[in-house]
Amino acid sequence: MNNNALHTAEARIREQIAAYCLSNEVPGFVAGVYRAGEQIVVAHGTANVATGAPMRADTGFLFGSVTKVLTTTLVLQQVERGLLDLDAPVVRYLPEFALTAPGAAEKILVRHLISHTNGIDADLFFPDAKGRDSLKTYVEGLARNCGVLFEPGEQLSYSNGGMIVAGRLLEVVTGLSFPDLLERDVYAPVGMTDSSTSAERAILRSTAIGHFPDPETMAAEPTGMFTLPDTWGPAGGTPIGTVADLLAFGRTHLAGGVSPSGTRVLSAGSTALMQQVSHDMATPNVPPMGLGWVRYPFGDTIVLAMSGASPGGVSILCVVPEHDLVFTAFGNTAGAIMLHDQILRWLLSEHLGVRIPTLINESAQDIDLTPYVGTYRSDQLRVEVGVVDGQLEERVTYEPADASQERIFTEFAGGTTAAPPQRYVPIRPGLFAPAGYPFETFDGYLRLLLVSFHDIRDGRARFRNGGGRLTRRA
């Protein structure tokens, strides 16, 4: 990218951000692009509507689940140092790791934790604990509260629980707390000089907060919860940093594990292993998974990506090795994910000349919908699937395990935990698109909105996949 091309991209991205934020009640947005030695950062709007603080290029924000790639990097570092074996059972290092299903935990390998193939049914398990023993508290809680969705390695389901167990594993084998390890072995060698692991540290510099739409006016209102509990640190609950810091991390993975300052953070072999396919569900709404990275195919071009939700905010990190490009962004309402997708698609198609193929051409007729009808469940979630007017209709219900879980999840969701019924049109057997969206919506990152059904036995699907997460037929 020459300076002129960089200037053109910066101007275009600035226009996209301003237009989208104005029409969609997004208070603030910050984005960065690195390509071939050049880098831009664009900031727009307000970081916090309560204070009026501006969103600046160096404003910090919650990484959310982008943290999962950092956690995976830490795991691979310990593998290189001989402290962990990817193909060893987790219980070798963490004997207290257990689930409610007898013998289930013993089958889970270290590799399964970071490839989202572990089957731990804990996606909405939010134990409330702070401090040094918070991850220990989380693992103890799994044994009392959480079972399994599938046999390890059998399916792919986005796993917060797996990453948190990986974080506790790191604590045990290194003797350091997860925040201390993250700062020592990722932040410092990568050069993430403005990143922290707590609200207490973040408050000392410019930091954005999330916002939720007011139910009546739809105006953005500040979140009442800044971070999730410390128990969710390795999955994305607490790490906070800037666009420049995430660009440096992305560049480290572009450069075979060497940071922009020249420090080796990860071996070339481990960096490549993270980018290789570890599991493929062979459905467009669940892109193939590497270790930590999700591999989004845009035609022949692979985008390594991870997005991260925080209370009222959403981040994204994308690395495109083939084109020496890193893109990262944060918007302080959940709807900013649409803008992430818009900018990513513009960068690929207009800036890099990547042809983005159409994923879905048309809906399908005469598909038997009966295999998909029924009730599907996962941790504290029930999905009722029925047929209305030739379409599937889903009703999603949150069923909190206790008052503490309900309080945390309700705050994380901005007070709204019930969704109206959603209709889906059939695309092909086992694949459905939400009704009312133009099909080109799903060509990019938002292919996650599609719903798929898997493992049909005796005429009934065993699993439903929405947003990369599995629920199992009750």
Side-chain angles (χ1 to χ4, degrees):
M1 185 195 294
N2 60 43
N3 279 327
N4 191 43
L6 185 68
H7 180 75
T8 303
E10 184 175 359
R12 179 70 180 99
I13 290 169
R14 196 177 293 281
E15 287 173 12
Q16 284 183 284
I17 292 171
Y20 185 90
C21 289
L22 179 65
S23 59
N24 293 278
E25 297 280 358
V26 179
F29 195 88
V30 59
V33 180
Y34 164 86
R35 184 165 186 238
E38 300 287 346
Q39 191 162 298
I40 58 168
V41 178
V42 176
H44 173 89
T46 306
N48 180 342
V49 301
T51 64
M55 186 75 86
R56 307 188 320 213
D58 65 347
T59 295
F61 52 86
L62 282 155
F63 291 162
S65 287
V66 170
T67 303
K68 291 180 171 70
V69 194
L70 281 65
T71 301
T72 303
T73 299
L74 288 170
V75 170
L76 270 292
Q77 287 175 339
Q78 305 318 314
V79 171
E80 290 177 11
R81 293 166 191 169
L83 294 178
L84 285 175
D85 179 346
L86 284 178
D87 294 309
V90 173
V91 293
R92 176 190 295 179
Y93 311 101
L94 204 59
E96 65 271 31
F97 172 50
L99 298 162
T100 57
E106 285 84 347
K107 300 176 187 175
I108 297 174
L109 308 180
V110 174
R111 180 185 301 276
H112 294 138
L113 298 178
I114 53 176
S115 61
H116 299 271
T117 56
N118 51 75
I120 299 169
D121 187 12
D123 205 50
L124 296 177
F125 180 51
F126 294 104
D128 195 6
K130 284 185 73 70
R132 183 64 177 86
D133 288 333
S134 58
L135 302 189
K136 183 171 181 281
T137 300
Y138 183 94
V139 171
E140 289 169 351
L142 287 178
R144 296 189 302 271
N145 297 283
C146 298
V148 289
L149 284 166
F150 52 84
E151 290 288 309
E154 174 193 329
Q155 304 283 347
L156 174 64
S157 185
Y158 186 85
S159 177
N160 289 305
M163 283 291 168
I164 299 168
V165 173
R168 177 58 183 154
L169 200 60
L170 289 165
E171 292 187 331
V172 169
V173 300
T174 66
L176 290 175
S177 71
F178 179 80
D180 287 349
L181 185 65
L182 184 63
E183 291 185 4
R184 188 192 77 177
D185 287 1
V186 173
Y187 288 174
V190 170
M192 299 172 72
T193 54
D194 290 320
S195 290
S196 63
T197 55
S198 71
E200 289 81 0
R201 289 270 301 282
I203 202 173
L204 301 177
R205 56 183 316 284
S206 171
T207 304
I209 68 163
H211 300 79
F212 292 99
D214 180 279
E216 293 180 7
T217 66
M218 297 310 288
E221 296 291 335
T223 177
M225 168 195 267
F226 179 55
T227 68
L228 284 168
D230 289 358
T231 50
W232 269 54
T238 52
I240 300 154
T242 61
V243 156
D245 285 352
L246 283 185
L247 287 174
F249 180 79
R251 289 175 62 184
T252 301
H253 279 266
L254 267 186
V258 177
S259 77
S261 67
T263 305
R264 179 158 291 287
V265 178
L266 201 60
S267 73
S270 294
T271 308
L273 183 63
M274 285 177 63
Q275 299 179 14
Q276 293 165 12
V277 175
S278 63
H279 198 91
D280 188 353
M281 293 281 280
T283 181
N285 59 311
V286 187
M289 182 65 70
L291 296 179
W293 292 112
V294 184
R295 294 170 43 95
Y296 282 80
F298 286 83
D300 296 330
T301 298
I302 299 299
V303 175
L304 306 169
M306 183 57 74
S307 65
S310 51
V314 63
S315 64
I316 194 168
L317 175 64
C318 300
V319 172
V320 191
E322 183 186 335
H323 292 279
D324 195 23
L325 181 135
V326 181
F327 162 60
T328 187
F330 170 79
N332 55 9
T333 69
I337 189 72
M338 310 284 278
L339 181 53
H340 296 341
D341 180 60
Q342 196 181 103
I343 296 172
L344 174 61
R345 288 212 258 178
W346 181 85
L347 284 168
L348 290 171
S349 60
E350 302 299 322
H351 198 70
L352 300 177
V354 172
R355 191 184 73 81
I356 300 177
T358 302
L359 274 187
I360 296 170
N361 292 310
E362 57 185 359
S363 58
Q365 308 299 321
D366 303 325
I367 288 180
D368 180 13
L369 302 182
T370 53
Y372 318 114
V373 172
T375 301
Y376 299 79
R377 303 185 91 109
S378 62
D379 176 52
Q380 301 179 64
L381 203 65
R382 185 177 83 240
V383 183
E384 303 277 359
V385 180
V387 177
V388 180
D389 299 330
Q391 299 177 343
L392 286 189
E393 182 179 84
E394 292 193 343
R395 295 173 181 267
V396 180
T397 306
Y398 173 58
E399 300 178 322
D402 56 48
S404 173
Q405 301 282 294
E406 183 172 20
R407 176 183 58 78
I408 293 168
F409 180 69
T410 302
E411 286 189 48
F412 178 71
T416 306
T417 59
Q422 174 68 55
R423 297 274 188 93
Y424 289 86
V425 297
I427 302 303
R428 66 181 193 218
L431 183 66
F432 297 82
Y437 287 80
F439 287 154
E440 60 265 26
T441 303
F442 313 115
D443 292 343
Y445 202 82
L446 298 178
R447 63 190 75 184
L448 291 175
L449 296 175
L450 302 171
V451 165
S452 57
F453 293 83
H454 302 271
D455 197 4
I456 294 179
R457 301 184 187 183
D458 301 321
R460 301 201 308 172
R462 282 182 70 213
F463 298 101
R464 166 198 172 271
N465 195 309
R469 292 163 163 86
L470 286 182
T471 45
R472 187 179 59 194
R473 183 180 288 276

PDB file of all heavy atoms in Angstrom, residues 13 98 126 207 241 287 290 366 421 456:
ATOM      1  N   ILE A  13     -12.800   5.152   4.697  1.00  0.00           N
ATOM      2  CA  ILE A  13     -13.222   4.537   5.960  1.00  0.00           C
ATOM      3  C   ILE A  13     -13.828   5.590   6.876  1.00  0.00           C
ATOM      4  O   ILE A  13     -14.841   5.356   7.545  1.00  0.00           O
ATOM      5  CB  ILE A  13     -12.037   3.805   6.625  1.00  0.00           C
ATOM      6  CG1 ILE A  13     -11.675   2.562   5.807  1.00  0.00           C
ATOM      7  CG2 ILE A  13     -12.368   3.414   8.058  1.00  0.00           C
ATOM      8  CD1 ILE A  13     -10.368   1.916   6.209  1.00  0.00           C
ATOM      9  N   ALA A  98     -13.575 -31.083  36.225  1.00  0.00           N
ATOM     10  CA  ALA A  98     -14.649 -32.078  36.118  1.00  0.00           C
ATOM     11  C   ALA A  98     -15.908 -31.390  35.608  1.00  0.00           C
ATOM     12  O   ALA A  98     -16.051 -30.171  35.685  1.00  0.00           O
ATOM     13  CB  ALA A  98     -14.920 -32.719  37.477  1.00  0.00           C
ATOM     14  N   PHE A 126     -21.688 -17.741  34.353  1.00  0.00           N
ATOM     15  CA  PHE A 126     -21.020 -16.512  34.790  1.00  0.00           C
ATOM     16  C   PHE A 126     -20.812 -16.498  36.314  1.00  0.00           C
ATOM     17  O   PHE A 126     -21.465 -15.732  37.009  1.00  0.00           O
ATOM     18  CB  PHE A 126     -21.859 -15.282  34.433  1.00  0.00           C
ATOM     19  CG  PHE A 126     -22.030 -15.011  32.965  1.00  0.00           C
ATOM     20  CD1 PHE A 126     -23.225 -15.304  32.330  1.00  0.00           C
ATOM     21  CD2 PHE A 126     -21.008 -14.430  32.225  1.00  0.00           C
ATOM     22  CE1 PHE A 126     -23.401 -15.026  30.975  1.00  0.00           C
ATOM     23  CE2 PHE A 126     -21.175 -14.146  30.882  1.00  0.00           C
ATOM     24  CZ  PHE A 126     -22.362 -14.454  30.255  1.00  0.00           C
ATOM     25  N   THR A 207     -10.666   5.675  28.038  1.00  0.00           N
ATOM     26  CA  THR A 207     -11.279   4.365  27.810  1.00  0.00           C
ATOM     27  C   THR A 207     -12.747   4.524  27.438  1.00  0.00           C
ATOM     28  O   THR A 207     -13.474   5.277  28.090  1.00  0.00           O
ATOM     29  CB  THR A 207     -11.164   3.480  29.078  1.00  0.00           C
ATOM     30  OG1 THR A 207      -9.793   3.384  29.454  1.00  0.00           O
ATOM     31  CG2 THR A 207     -11.707   2.085  28.828  1.00  0.00           C
ATOM     32  N   GLY A 241      -7.495  -2.539  25.668  1.00  0.00           N
ATOM     33  CA  GLY A 241      -6.356  -1.928  24.986  1.00  0.00           C
ATOM     34  C   GLY A 241      -6.815  -1.070  23.830  1.00  0.00           C
ATOM     35  O   GLY A 241      -7.997  -0.729  23.715  1.00  0.00           O
ATOM     36  N   PRO A 287     -17.615 -21.014   9.914  1.00  0.00           N
ATOM     37  CA  PRO A 287     -16.365 -21.131   9.164  1.00  0.00           C
ATOM     38  C   PRO A 287     -15.418 -22.114   9.843  1.00  0.00           C
ATOM     39  O   PRO A 287     -15.505 -22.345  11.055  1.00  0.00           O
ATOM     40  CB  PRO A 287     -15.791 -19.702   9.197  1.00  0.00           C
ATOM     41  CG  PRO A 287     -16.955 -18.820   9.492  1.00  0.00           C
ATOM     42  CD  PRO A 287     -17.864 -19.634  10.357  1.00  0.00           C
ATOM     43  N   GLY A 290      -9.394 -22.672  13.259  1.00  0.00           N
ATOM     44  CA  GLY A 290      -7.999 -23.008  13.520  1.00  0.00           C
ATOM     45  C   GLY A 290      -7.832 -23.225  15.014  1.00  0.00           C
ATOM     46  O   GLY A 290      -8.705 -23.779  15.673  1.00  0.00           O
ATOM     47  N   ASP A 366     -39.844 -26.788  -1.195  1.00  0.00           N
ATOM     48  CA  ASP A 366     -40.084 -28.230  -1.050  1.00  0.00           C
ATOM     49  C   ASP A 366     -39.046 -28.945  -0.187  1.00  0.00           C
ATOM     50  O   ASP A 366     -38.688 -30.092  -0.448  1.00  0.00           O
ATOM     51  CB  ASP A 366     -40.153 -28.912  -2.430  1.00  0.00           C
ATOM     52  CG  ASP A 366     -41.223 -28.294  -3.314  1.00  0.00           C
ATOM     53  OD1 ASP A 366     -42.270 -27.900  -2.767  1.00  0.00           O
ATOM     54  OD2 ASP A 366     -41.006 -28.173  -4.529  1.00  0.00           O
ATOM     55  N   PRO A 421     -39.995 -13.854  18.402  1.00  0.00           N
ATOM     56  CA  PRO A 421     -39.810 -15.017  17.528  1.00  0.00           C
ATOM     57  C   PRO A 421     -39.164 -14.600  16.207  1.00  0.00           C
ATOM     58  O   PRO A 421     -39.428 -13.505  15.697  1.00  0.00           O
ATOM     59  CB  PRO A 421     -41.238 -15.523  17.289  1.00  0.00           C
ATOM     60  CG  PRO A 421     -42.043 -14.966  18.415  1.00  0.00           C
ATOM     61  CD  PRO A 421     -41.402 -13.666  18.782  1.00  0.00           C
ATOM     62  N   ILE A 456     -28.379 -35.668  11.570  1.00  0.00           N
ATOM     63  CA  ILE A 456     -29.761 -36.174  11.514  1.00  0.00           C
ATOM     64  C   ILE A 456     -29.764 -37.691  11.730  1.00  0.00           C
ATOM     65  O   ILE A 456     -29.092 -38.435  11.018  1.00  0.00           O
ATOM     66  CB  ILE A 456     -30.421 -35.811  10.175  1.00  0.00           C
ATOM     67  CG1 ILE A 456     -30.581 -34.289  10.096  1.00  0.00           C
ATOM     68  CG2 ILE A 456     -31.775 -36.510  10.023  1.00  0.00           C
ATOM     69  CD1 ILE A 456     -31.188 -33.791   8.816  1.00  0.00           C
TER      70      ILE A 456
END
